[in-house]
């Protein structure tokens, strides 16, 4: 079984900064897409940022210019650098990776980490 473990969540003031990390373990031959999703109180889970194997990045409009996603395929890790926090950024943040098994692929999710922004 492949497992994803997030770290770095916590309480942060509006306007502050925080960095999340996610590390994959298990039988992994390659990783295609890596990304971060979030679910705020009373909201649906939404895409935050994604990064392809080629390093191309995609961000939601709400975080554009404030968040930066990066990947390290040696460490099997994806990170999300977050700055200029807004109260509406409060959510559980989930790590996602598309795991390549050569013949097929599998979508893997972390358990989530809480980020709370105080105004």
């Amino acid at each position: 079984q492949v497992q994803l473990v997030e770290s770095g969540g916590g309480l942060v003031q509006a306007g502050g900064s925080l960095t999340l990390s996610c590390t994959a373990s298990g039988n992994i031959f390659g990783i295609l897409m890596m990304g971060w999703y979030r679910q705020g109180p009373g909201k649906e889970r939404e895409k935050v940022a994604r990064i392809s194997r080629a390093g191309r990045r995609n961000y939601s409009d709400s975080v554009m210019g404030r968040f930066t996603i990066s990947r390290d395929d040696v460490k099997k890790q994806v990170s999300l650098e977050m700055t200029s926090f807004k109260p509406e950024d409060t959510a559980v943040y989930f790590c996602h990776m598309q795991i390549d098994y050569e013949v097929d692929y599998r979508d893997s999710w972390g358990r989530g980490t809480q980020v709370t922004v105080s105004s």
Side-chain angles (χ1 to χ4, degrees):
Q1 288 285 334
V2 173
Q3 293 187 358
L4 306 184
V5 180
E6 302 103 334
S7 64
L11 178 64
V12 63
Q13 294 182 335
S17 301
L18 198 65
T19 299
L20 304 180
S21 295
C22 174
T23 303
S25 62
N27 293 323
I28 301 172
F29 304 114
I31 304 175
L32 301 179
M33 190 70 69
M34 296 185 182
W36 290 92
Y37 294 67
R38 69 184 182 185
Q39 185 169 19
K43 299 180 180 179
E44 298 179 342
R45 183 176 297 189
E46 65 175 348
K47 298 176 183 178
V48 177
R50 294 184 295 174
I51 182 169
S52 71
R53 184 168 56 184
R56 295 183 175 86
R57 297 169 170 84
N58 181 269
Y59 300 95
S60 68
D61 291 340
S62 62
V63 307
M64 185 76 70
R66 299 188 298 119
F67 292 8
T68 301
I69 187 170
S70 300
R71 65 185 286 163
D72 187 331
D73 285 280
V74 174
K75 297 180 179 180
K76 303 293 188 295
Q77 186 177 84
V78 61
S79 299
L80 185 68
E81 182 182 1
M82 303 176 287
T83 63
S84 302
F85 266 118
K86 301 176 180 179
E88 50 264 42
D89 292 322
T90 294
V92 177
Y93 284 71
F94 297 90
C95 174
H96 171 262
M97 296 187 187
Q98 189 178 43
I99 309 299
D100 186 4
Y101 294 98
E102 188 173 9
V103 178
D104 57 8
Y105 70 93
R106 176 182 177 180
D107 292 310
S108 186
W109 292 87
R111 300 296 294 271
T113 184
Q114 178 71 46
V115 173
T116 301
V117 182
S118 61
S119 60

